Coordinates of all heavy atoms in Angstrom, one line a residue:
Q62 N 83.7 75.0 116.8 CA 82.5 74.1 117.0 C 81.3 74.7 116.4 O 81.0 75.9 116.7 CB 82.4 74.0 118.5 CG 81.4 72.9 119.0 CD 81.3 72.8 120.5 OE1 81.6 73.7 121.2 NE2 81.0 71.6 121.0
H63 N 80.6 74.0 115.6 CA 79.4 74.5 114.9 C 78.2 74.6 115.8 O 77.4 75.5 115.6 CB 79.1 73.7 113.6 CG 80.1 74.0 112.5 ND1 80.0 75.0 111.6 CD2 81.3 73.3 112.2 CE1 81.0 75.0 110.8 NE2 81.8 74.0 111.1
A64 N 78.0 73.6 116.7 CA 76.9 73.6 117.5 C 77.3 73.2 118.9 O 78.4 72.6 119.1 CB 75.9 72.5 117.0
P65 N 76.5 73.6 120.0 CA 76.9 73.3 121.4 C 77.3 71.9 121.6 O 78.2 71.6 122.4 CB 75.7 73.8 122.2 CG 75.0 74.7 121.3 CD 75.3 74.3 119.9
E66 N 76.6 71.0 121.1 CA 76.8 69.5 121.3 C 77.6 68.9 120.2 O 77.9 67.7 120.2 CB 75.5 68.8 121.4 CG 74.6 69.3 122.6 CD 75.3 69.2 123.9 OE1 76.0 68.2 124.2 OE2 75.1 70.1 124.8
G67 N 78.1 69.7 119.2 CA 78.8 69.2 118.1 C 80.3 68.9 118.4 O 80.8 69.3 119.4
S68 N 80.9 68.2 117.5 CA 82.3 67.9 117.7 C 83.2 69.1 117.4 O 82.7 70.1 116.8 CB 82.7 66.8 116.7 OG 82.5 67.2 115.4
V69 N 84.4 69.1 118.0 CA 85.3 70.2 117.8 C 86.2 69.9 116.6 O 86.8 68.8 116.6 CB 86.1 70.4 119.1 CG1 87.2 71.5 118.9 CG2 85.2 70.8 120.2
R70 N 86.4 70.8 115.7 CA 87.3 70.7 114.6 C 88.5 71.5 114.9 O 88.5 72.6 115.5 CB 86.7 71.2 113.3 CG 85.6 70.4 112.7 CD 85.0 71.0 111.5 NE 86.0 71.3 110.5 CZ 85.7 72.1 109.4 NH1 84.5 72.5 109.2 NH2 86.7 72.4 108.6
V71 N 89.7 71.0 114.4 CA 90.9 71.7 114.5 C 91.3 72.2 113.2 O 91.4 71.5 112.2 CB 92.0 70.8 115.1 CG1 93.3 71.5 115.2 CG2 91.6 70.2 116.4
L72 N 91.5 73.5 113.1 CA 91.9 74.2 111.8 C 93.4 74.6 112.0 O 93.8 75.1 113.0 CB 91.1 75.4 111.5 CG 89.5 75.2 111.5 CD1 88.8 76.5 111.2 CD2 89.2 74.2 110.4
D73 N 94.1 74.3 111.0 CA 95.6 74.5 111.0 C 96.0 75.9 110.6 O 96.4 76.2 109.5 CB 96.3 73.5 110.2 CG 97.8 73.4 110.4 OD1 98.2 73.8 111.5 OD2 98.5 73.1 109.5
G74 N 95.7 76.9 111.4 CA 96.2 78.3 111.2 C 95.2 79.2 110.7 O 94.0 78.9 110.5
A75 N 95.7 80.5 110.5 CA 94.8 81.6 110.1 C 94.2 81.3 108.7 O 93.0 81.7 108.5 CB 95.6 82.9 110.1
A76 N 94.9 80.8 107.8 CA 94.4 80.6 106.4 C 93.2 79.6 106.4 O 92.2 79.9 105.7 CB 95.5 80.1 105.5
A77 N 93.3 78.6 107.3 CA 92.2 77.7 107.4 C 90.9 78.3 108.0 O 89.8 78.0 107.6 CB 92.6 76.4 108.2
M78 N 91.2 79.2 108.9 CA 90.0 79.9 109.6 C 89.4 80.8 108.6 O 88.1 80.9 108.5 CB 90.5 80.7 110.8 CG 89.4 81.4 111.5 SD 88.3 80.2 112.3 CE 86.8 81.0 112.2
V79 N 90.2 81.6 107.8 CA 89.6 82.5 106.8 C 88.9 81.7 105.7 O 87.8 82.1 105.2 CB 90.7 83.4 106.2 CG1 90.2 84.2 105.0 CG2 91.2 84.3 107.3
E80 N 89.4 80.5 105.3 CA 88.8 79.7 104.3 C 87.4 79.2 104.8 O 86.5 79.1 104.1 CB 89.7 78.5 103.9 CG 89.1 77.6 102.9 CD 88.7 78.2 101.6 OE1 89.3 79.2 101.2 OE2 87.8 77.6 100.9
L81 N 87.4 78.8 106.1 CA 86.1 78.4 106.7 C 85.1 79.5 106.7 O 83.9 79.3 106.3 CB 86.3 77.9 108.1 CG 85.0 77.5 108.9 CD1 84.3 76.3 108.2 CD2 85.3 77.2 110.4
A82 N 85.5 80.7 107.0 CA 84.6 81.9 106.9 C 84.1 82.1 105.5 O 82.9 82.4 105.3 CB 85.4 83.1 107.4
A83 N 85.0 81.9 104.5 CA 84.6 82.0 103.1 C 83.5 81.0 102.7 O 82.6 81.3 102.1 CB 85.8 82.0 102.2
Q84 N 83.7 79.7 103.2 CA 82.8 78.7 102.9 C 81.4 79.0 103.6 O 80.4 78.8 102.9 CB 83.3 77.3 103.4 CG 84.5 76.8 102.7 CD 85.2 75.6 103.4 OE1 84.7 75.2 104.4 NE2 86.2 75.1 102.8
I85 N 81.4 79.4 104.8 CA 80.2 79.7 105.5 C 79.5 80.9 104.8 O 78.3 80.8 104.6 CB 80.4 80.0 107.0 CG1 80.9 78.7 107.7 CG2 79.2 80.6 107.7 CD1 81.4 78.9 109.1
Q86 N 80.2 81.9 104.4 CA 79.7 83.0 103.8 C 79.1 82.6 102.4 O 78.0 83.0 102.1 CB 80.7 84.1 103.6 CG 80.2 85.4 103.0 CD 81.3 86.4 102.9 OE1 82.5 86.1 102.6 NE2 81.0 87.7 103.1
H87 N 79.8 81.8 101.7 CA 79.3 81.3 100.4 C 78.0 80.5 100.6 O 77.0 80.7 99.8 CB 80.3 80.5 99.7 CG 79.9 79.9 98.4 ND1 79.8 80.7 97.3 CD2 79.5 78.7 98.0 CE1 79.3 79.9 96.3 NE2 79.2 78.7 96.7
R88 N 78.0 79.6 101.5 CA 76.8 78.8 101.8 C 75.6 79.7 102.2 O 74.5 79.5 101.7 CB 77.1 77.8 102.9 CG 76.0 76.8 103.1 CD 76.3 75.8 104.2 NE 76.4 76.4 105.5 CZ 77.4 76.3 106.3 NH1 78.4 75.5 106.0 NH2 77.4 76.9 107.5
T89 N 75.9 80.6 103.1 CA 74.8 81.5 103.5 C 74.2 82.3 102.3 O 73.0 82.5 102.2 CB 75.3 82.5 104.6 OG1 75.9 81.7 105.7 CG2 74.3 83.4 105.1
R90 N 75.1 82.9 101.5 CA 74.6 83.7 100.4 C 73.9 82.8 99.3 O 72.9 83.3 98.8 CB 75.8 84.4 99.7 CG 76.3 85.5 100.5 CD 77.4 86.2 99.9 NE 77.8 87.4 100.7 CZ 78.8 88.2 100.3 NH1 79.5 88.0 99.2 NH2 79.1 89.2 101.1
T91 N 74.3 81.6 99.0 CA 73.7 80.8 98.0 C 72.3 80.3 98.6 O 71.4 80.2 97.8 CB 74.5 79.7 97.5 OG1 74.9 78.9 98.7 CG2 75.7 80.2 96.8
T92 N 72.3 80.0 99.8 CA 71.0 79.5 100.4 C 70.0 80.7 100.5 O 68.8 80.5 100.1 CB 71.3 79.0 101.9 OG1 72.2 78.0 101.8 CG2 70.0 78.5 102.5
R93 N 70.5 81.9 100.8 CA 69.6 83.0 100.9 C 69.0 83.4 99.5 O 67.8 83.7 99.4 CB 70.3 84.3 101.4 CG 69.5 85.4 101.7 CD 70.2 86.7 102.1 NE 71.1 86.4 103.2 CZ 72.3 87.0 103.5 NH1 72.7 87.9 102.6 NH2 73.0 86.6 104.5
N94 N 69.8 83.2 98.5 CA 69.3 83.5 97.1 C 68.3 82.5 96.6 O 67.4 82.9 95.9 CB 70.5 83.6 96.1 CG 71.3 84.9 96.3 OD1 70.9 85.8 96.9 ND2 72.6 84.8 95.9

Side-chain angles (χ1 to χ4, degrees):
Q62 190 176 27
H63 287 276
E66 302 299 322
S68 60
V69 175
R70 286 180 51 193
V71 178
L72 302 179
D73 193 27
M78 183 67 214
V79 172
E80 178 62 26
L81 175 65
Q84 291 170 1
I85 291 171
Q86 186 178 36
H87 178 74
R88 185 180 68 229
T89 302
R90 287 181 175 178
T91 55
T92 302
R93 186 182 311 147
N94 288 339

